[in-house]
Amino acid sequence: MTAQERLIVALDFQTAKEAEQMVLTLGEHVSFYKVGLELFLNTGGSILEFLASQNKRIFLDLKFHDIPNTTAAAARFAASLDSVSMFNLHASGGTQMIKDSMAVKRADQILLAVTVLTSLDDGDITANFQSPLTASELALNLAKNSKLAGANGVVCSALEAQTIKKHCGEDFITVCPGIRFNDSQVGDQKRVLGPKEAIQNGADYLVIGRPITADPSPKDAALRMLEEISKA
Ligand code: C5P
């Protein structure tokens, strides 16, 4: 894959206007965008039409998490959107939920299971789940379950990507948020890695939001990301 194919820019904006402006600013340098809850809900989904009109690939990051029947219904909706090439659900929703959603997605779509949010560290896992596992161990367990259930891959921290590939196979896709330049703000993310290191550690795709979109010059930041990815 080329550096550009690996880069997914997260459009975390409240309005279509801000998101569209960002897409136009980044122009030909970025071809893959992530639409999450904030933008999808605020625009009633209409942002997808704009991205399709610009010939951009779309990762619909709505992280479905419900009983199997309800989640599969949501997956059927994602499958009906021609412009959506990737979407996701929470791995912790269980094997049946993943299986039923895989059964209704389009063959050309990638369905990912979110393992452990990159905003959670070991202390959060202990405090919230009373689990003796580290965040990485829990992420690996969830990845293995997702693989058994037939998911195409996972959303995980780049810190875990290599281990997940070792256990689930090279072709099991790893999509990694929590990517930061050495000099960028970490914000609410905790399990972070640089772009070059992330690719070297087995990340297939990098989801990058604020290090690009909050930069005074988003285009320069995107070019710097692409250069770092190319060095891997
Ligand atoms: O701004 P930043 O680079 O932290 O954005 C990361 C994006 O990836 C956000 O849109 C966030 O919702 C998303 N994400 C994440 N961790 C996950 C799954 C998705 O940070 N496990």
Side-chain angles (χ1 to χ4, degrees):
M1 269 198 286
T2 64
Q4 197 183 107
E5 284 165 340
R6 291 180 184 278
L7 174 64
I8 305 176
V9 172
L11 289 174
D12 292 324
F13 295 106
Q14 266 184 26
T15 64
K17 200 172 160 205
E18 289 167 288
E20 289 173 14
Q21 190 53 53
M22 183 55 62
V23 172
L24 296 175
T25 300
L26 296 173
E28 58 178 8
H29 304 295
V30 175
S31 53
F32 206 163
Y33 284 96
K34 184 176 84 68
V35 175
L37 286 166
E38 182 183 8
L39 186 60
F40 188 82
L41 295 175
N42 276 299
T43 64
S46 66
I47 190 67
L48 302 184
E49 286 158 38
F50 171 78
L51 288 168
S53 76
Q54 301 292 309
N55 295 315
K56 303 300 182 188
R57 287 190 78 192
I58 299 171
F59 169 18
L60 187 62
D61 177 29
L62 300 182
K63 299 188 185 71
F64 304 141
H65 193 175
D66 211 311
I67 59 172
N69 187 55
T70 306
T71 304
R76 205 171 283 116
F77 167 76
S80 75
L81 301 169
D82 290 340
S83 58
V84 169
S85 59
M86 190 183 263
F87 68 99
N88 59 1
L89 40 67
H90 270 288
S92 53
T95 311
Q96 195 60 46
M97 187 196 87
I98 300 173
K99 277 187 186 162
D100 290 359
S101 299
M102 281 301 292
V104 300
K105 81 167 187 76
R106 287 200 319 272
D108 64 326
Q109 287 177 317
I110 294 171
L111 178 48
L112 304 164
V114 180
T115 55
V116 176
L117 297 172
T118 42
S119 55
L120 301 176
D121 63 13
D122 295 348
D124 295 313
I125 301 301
T126 311
N128 290 286
F129 304 109
Q130 281 77 50
S131 162
L133 300 181
T134 63
S136 295
E137 287 166 346
L138 182 57
L140 177 60
N141 281 355
L142 288 166
K144 285 181 185 168
N145 285 347
S146 306
K147 167 79 182 172
L148 286 175
N152 300 119
V154 283
V155 179
C156 62
S157 163
L159 294 165
E160 286 117 40
Q162 198 167 54
T163 312
I164 287 175
K165 286 222 179 238
K166 203 173 101 199
H167 286 85
C168 300
E170 270 306 308
D171 59 349
F172 194 60
I173 299 166
T174 51
V175 176
C176 302
I179 305 298
R180 293 293 182 265
F181 292 121
N182 290 339
D183 53 0
S184 53
Q185 301 273 344
V186 173
D188 53 354
Q189 297 283 16
K190 290 184 181 162
R191 295 179 3 262
V192 302
L193 211 59
K196 184 174 134 211
E197 293 76 14
I199 301 289
Q200 286 172 340
N201 205 43
D204 292 314
Y205 295 90
L206 305 185
V207 172
I208 303 174
R210 290 161 291 181
I212 291 177
T213 56
D215 192 278
S217 174
K219 193 168 116 184
D220 290 341
L223 289 171
R224 186 176 161 204
M225 274 297 170
L226 289 167
E227 199 187 315
E228 293 277 321
I229 295 170
S230 306
K231 283 190 207 152

